[in-house]
Amino acid sequence: EHPSLTKVEQLALKYLLPNRAGIVSFIRSVVVSGTTWYRVQAGAFANRANAEKRLEQVIDAGINDAYILTEN
């Protein structure tokens, strides 16, 4: 950990993928039940098959707790 960095900056160092796998990703914050969460998004897809392919790439890049989130 880097004590001089913000929580979001520390998440960026840990989870953003461009330098490791060429995957464009970004962090966005969401508030769920009054708690702020930070999500790393590595794409937006119109169909599940494409999302599953990206999930495999993310996992292959070493982010083993990745998952697909759908929003309506």
Side-chain angles (χ1 to χ4, degrees):
E1 287 192 30
H2 303 275
S4 63
L5 300 178
T6 67
K7 184 174 186 171
V8 173
E9 290 168 333
Q10 289 182 33
L11 287 168
L13 286 175
K14 183 175 182 180
Y15 287 106
L16 290 183
L17 302 167
N19 293 331
R20 288 194 278 184
I23 298 170
V24 176
S25 58
F26 60 93
I27 293 177
R28 68 183 185 122
S29 63
V30 295
V31 178
V32 178
S33 300
T35 301
T36 301
W37 293 88
Y38 299 94
R39 294 181 177 164
V40 177
Q41 184 170 334
F45 303 95
N47 65 60
R48 180 126 188 136
N50 289 342
E52 289 173 352
K53 287 177 189 175
R54 176 57 53 90
L55 178 60
E56 287 179 25
Q57 293 171 336
V58 170
I59 291 170
D60 288 346
I63 308 299
N64 298 315
D65 58 351
Y67 58 93
I68 296 170
L69 177 68
T70 59
E71 296 180 352
N72 295 327

